[in-house]
C-alpha cells in the first residue's frame, strides 16, 4: 500500500523572483515609514513637552513676581509675630487668592503643623485647604519656592505657587518662618496646550502618511529596474522556448526518420543544414532583441549611405523566385549600420514570407526617400494585407502572423526607436501591407535606449 502524495501548501511554495522584488518594495516602504514615524513621534513628544514646560514656567514667573511683591508688604510686630495688616490694606488678596501660613516655633515643619495666618474670605478660586497646606509645607521643607498643580472645588485646574519667608534679621542658616501661597487658573493655558498637542499629532500623522507615500514611490523607482530586468528575462525565455521548440522537434523527427532509413541521407543532411541555419538565425534574433530591450546594445553610429545599405540588404535577401524592386535616392543618415541593416532585412524578409498568395511569387517594392528631417525606407508587398486581429499589436512578439514569431518586426521597431525614428504599418497601394521605417537626418541619435 502506497502512501498518498502530499502536495506542498501554498505557504511553503517558493516565491517567484518578481514576487520577492515586490515584497522587498513593501518592506522598504514599511521601513521608510517606520523610520520617519519614529523621528516624527520623537520630535512631536519633544515639542509637546517643551510647550507644557514653557507655559508652566511662564506662569510660575508671573506668580513669583506677584508673591515677592506681596512679601515686601508682610510685617512682624515687636514680638516677632506676623502682622498682615499692611498687606491686607495695600493689596487685594481675594484674586488672585493669597494665603499666609506660618510655622509654630515648637512644631515640626510639615503640612499639618502650618498655621493659616490669613486666607481670603471670598477668593475667586477656592482650593481645598489640604492642597494649600501641601504647597506651603513643600516650600518650607525645601527652603525654596515650590509650584504644583491642583484643582478647585468645582474641578477647574489651577497652579499653586508657594514662596517661603524668614524672620526679620534672620541668620543665613535660619529656617523659614512660613510661606505665602497664591494660585492661578490654568484652564485657558491647558486648553491651548491640548490644541497644540492635537495639531502636532495631526501634523505627524499627515507627515507619516506622506512619508509612506513617498517611500512607496521611491521604492517603486528603486525596484523598477529589477522588475524590468525580470520582465525582459521572462520575455527572452518565452521567446527562446517558443522559437526553438518547433525546429528542435523537427530535428528530432528528422533524426528518427534517418535512423529508420526511411529517407535519403543527402536529403537528411540538406534538411538538417537548413534547420540549423534557421535555428542560428532565431538565436541571433533572440539575442539581438534581448540586448535591445535591456539597453546593453550600444549604438555604433556613423554617417552612412542609407540607399546603398538598403540595396545591399535586398541583394542578400533570399529571393527564391520572388521579385523585389528597389527605387532609391541618395540619402545620408547617422546611424548604426549593423542594426539598420538588420531592421531592413527583417522588413524585406517579412514581405517575402507573407506578402503573397500561397503558391504565387511575391511582388515586393522597396523605396528610399528623404525629406527635410528624416529618411523613409518603405517596404510594400502585394499580398493579402494585414490581418485585423494583429494590426493593433503588430510589433509585439508572436504577433506578426502565422508561422512567424514576430521577432523580425519587433527588432525593426526597437532599432527605429533606438535611433529616435519610427516604424509604422498600413495598407499598400496594391492591397498588401506597407511598412515605413523612418530615421532622422542630421543629428546624432541618442544611445540611452
Amino acid at each position: 500500500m502506497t502512501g498518498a502524495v502530499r502536495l506542498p501548501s501554498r505557504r511553503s511554495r517558493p516565491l517567484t523572483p518578481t514576487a520577492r522584488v515586490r515584497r522587498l518594495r513593501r518592506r522598504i516602504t514599511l521601513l521608510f515609514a517606520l523610520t520617519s514615524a519614529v523621528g516624527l513621534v520623537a520630535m512631536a513628544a519633544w515639542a509637546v513637552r517643551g510647550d507644557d514646560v514653557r507655559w508652566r514656567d511662564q506662569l510660575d514667573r508671573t506668580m513669583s513676581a506677584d508673591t515677592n511683591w506681596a512679601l515686601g508688604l508682610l510685617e512682624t510686630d515687636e514680638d516677632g509675630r506676623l502682622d498682615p495688616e499692611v498687606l491686607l490694606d495695600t493689596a487685594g488678596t481675594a484674586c488672585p487668592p493669597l494665603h499666609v501660613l506660618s510655622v509654630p516655633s515648637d512644631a515640626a515643619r510639615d503640612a499639618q503643623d502650618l498655621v493659616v495666618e490669613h486666607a481670603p474670605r471670598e477668593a475667586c478660586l477656592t482650593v481645598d485647604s489640604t492642597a494649600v497646606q501641601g504647597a506651603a509645607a513643600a516650600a518650607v521643607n525645601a527652603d525654596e519656592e515650590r509650584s504644583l498643580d491642583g484643582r478647585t472645588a468645582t474641578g477647574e485646574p489651577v497652579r499653586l505657587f508657594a514662596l517661603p519667608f524668614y524672620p526679620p534679621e534672620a541668620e543665613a542658616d535660619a529656617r523659614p518662618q512660613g510661606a505665602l501661597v497664591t494660585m492661578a487658573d490654568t484652564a485657558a493655558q491647558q486648553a491651548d496646550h491640548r490644541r497644540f498637542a492635537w495639531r502636532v499629532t495631526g501634523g505627524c500623522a499627515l507627515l507619516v502618511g506622506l512619508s509612506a507615500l513617498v517611500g512607496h514611490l521611491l521604492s517603486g523607482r528603486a525596484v523598477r529596474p529589477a522588475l524590468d530586468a525580470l520582465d525582459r528575462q521572462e520575455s527572452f525565455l518565452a521567446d527562446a522556448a517558443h522559437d526553438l521548440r518547433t525546429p528542435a522537434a523537427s530535428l528530432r523527427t528528422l533524426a528518427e526518420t534517418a535512423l529508420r532509413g526511411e529517407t535519403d541521407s543527402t536529403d537528411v543532411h540538406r534538411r538538417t543544414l537548413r534547420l540549423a541555419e534557421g535555428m542560428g538565425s532565431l538565436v541571433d534574433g533572440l539575442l539581438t532583441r534581448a540586448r535591445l530591450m535591456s539597453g546593453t546594445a550600444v549604438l555604433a553610429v556613423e554617417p552612412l549611405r542609407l540607399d546603398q545599405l538598403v540595396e545591399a540588404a535586398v541583394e542578400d535577401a533570399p529571393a527564391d523566385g520572388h521579385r523585389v524592386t528597389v527605387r532609391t535616392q541618395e540619402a545620408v543618415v547617422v546611424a548604426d549600420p549593423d542594426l539598420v541593416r538588420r531592421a531592413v532585412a527583417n522588413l524585406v524578409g517579412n514581405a517575402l514570407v507573407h506578402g503573397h498568395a500561397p503558391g504565387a511569387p511575391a511582388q515586393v517594392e522597396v523605396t528610399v526617400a528623404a525629406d527635410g528631417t528624416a529618411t523613409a525606407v518603405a517596404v510594400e508587398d502585394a499580398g493579402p494585407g494585414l490581418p485585423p486581429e494583429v494590426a493593433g499589436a503588430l510589433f509585439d512578439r508572436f504577433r506578426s502572423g502565422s508561422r512567424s514569431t514576430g521577432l523580425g518586426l519587433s527588432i525593426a521597431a526597437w532599432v527605429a526607436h533606438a535611433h529616435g525614428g519610427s516604424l509604422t504599418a498600413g495598407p499598400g497601394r496594391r492591397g498588401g501591407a506597407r511598412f515605413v521605417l523612418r530615421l532622422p537626418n542630421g543629428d546624432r541619435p541618442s544611445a540611452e535606449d
Side-chain angles (χ1 to χ4, degrees), residues 45-56:
W46 176 80
V48 172
R49 174 62 180 170
D51 182 74
D52 183 68
V53 172
R54 178 194 57 78
W55 75 261
R56 293 179 190 275

Side-chain angles (χ1 to χ4, degrees), residues 88-388:
L88 299 179
D89 293 341
T90 306
T93 63
C95 192
L98 182 64
H99 298 74
V100 182
L101 296 90
S102 64
V103 180
S105 59
D106 58 346
R109 291 176 173 85
D110 54 23
Q112 58 265 32
D113 293 327
L114 295 178
V115 177
V116 179
E117 299 290 347
H118 167 73
R121 293 180 180 179
E122 296 181 357
C124 57
L125 296 173
T126 304
V127 179
D128 186 79
S129 59
T130 304
V132 176
Q133 289 273 355
V140 170
N141 292 332
D143 198 8
E144 62 181 2
E145 59 186 33
R146 280 284 188 260
S147 58
L148 53 89
D149 294 322
R151 289 193 175 273
T152 64
T154 58
E156 296 297 325
V158 294
R159 183 79 168 169
L160 290 91
F161 182 85
L163 177 67
F165 60 85
Y166 303 85
E169 300 180 358
E171 300 292 337
D173 58 347
R175 300 293 297 173
Q177 187 180 5
L180 296 179
V181 180
T182 187
M183 62 192 68
D185 185 9
T186 60
Q189 289 88 341
Q190 292 196 17
D192 290 340
H193 176 68
R194 284 193 296 270
R195 285 193 293 269
F196 175 78
W198 278 112
R199 286 195 297 267
V200 171
T201 301
C204 286
L206 178 61
L207 289 176
V208 170
L210 291 176
S211 175
L213 177 61
V214 171
H216 186 69
L217 295 177
L218 291 178
S219 61
R221 292 178 63 89
V223 304
R224 187 177 303 164
L227 291 175
D228 291 342
L230 289 173
D231 290 341
R232 288 192 295 267
Q233 175 183 333
E234 292 297 327
S235 176
F236 176 78
L237 294 177
D239 289 346
H242 182 275
D243 287 328
L244 297 177
R245 184 181 296 114
T246 299
S250 300
L251 279 176
R252 179 176 180 177
T253 302
L254 187 60
E256 292 175 350
T257 303
L259 287 175
R260 291 194 300 267
E262 297 178 358
T263 185
D264 181 64
S265 60
T266 301
D267 182 59
V268 170
H269 293 161
R270 184 170 53 253
R271 293 170 60 187
T272 301
L273 179 60
R274 186 167 60 251
L275 287 173
E277 291 176 348
M279 292 180 68
S281 299
L282 285 175
V283 171
D284 187 37
L286 287 170
L287 293 177
T288 300
R289 182 179 182 274
R291 294 185 64 198
L292 287 172
M293 291 183 64
S294 64
T296 58
V298 180
L299 298 183
V301 295
E302 61 182 51
L304 60 91
R305 287 281 300 275
L306 185 59
D307 54 317
Q308 295 178 355
L309 184 145
V310 170
E311 291 174 352
V314 171
E315 290 179 0
D316 294 339
D320 294 335
H322 303 299
R323 181 182 176 184
V324 181
T325 304
V326 181
R327 294 202 305 268
T328 65
Q329 67 180 64
E330 182 176 338
V332 178
V333 297
V334 179
D336 188 315
D338 294 335
L339 291 180
V340 174
R341 184 185 184 95
R342 176 179 291 275
V344 173
N346 289 345
L347 294 177
V348 174
N350 181 78
L352 292 176
V353 172
H354 302 287
H356 61 91
Q363 302 290 332
V364 179
E365 182 179 304
V366 181
T367 59
V368 178
D371 55 28
T373 60
T375 299
V377 179
V379 179
E380 182 178 349
D381 59 61
L386 298 176

Side-chain angles (χ1 to χ4, degrees), residues 52-92:
D52 183 68
V53 172
R54 178 194 57 78
W55 75 261
R56 293 179 190 275
D57 288 345
Q58 184 177 1
L59 185 59
D60 288 346
R61 285 194 297 268
T62 301
M63 290 192 295
S64 176
D66 295 341
T67 308
N68 277 281
W69 175 79
L71 182 60
L73 302 176
L74 188 62
E75 298 181 351
T76 58
D77 58 18
E78 296 177 353
D79 298 329
R81 292 189 300 270
L82 293 175
D83 184 7
E85 293 300 328
V86 177
L87 174 62
L88 299 179
D89 293 341
T90 306

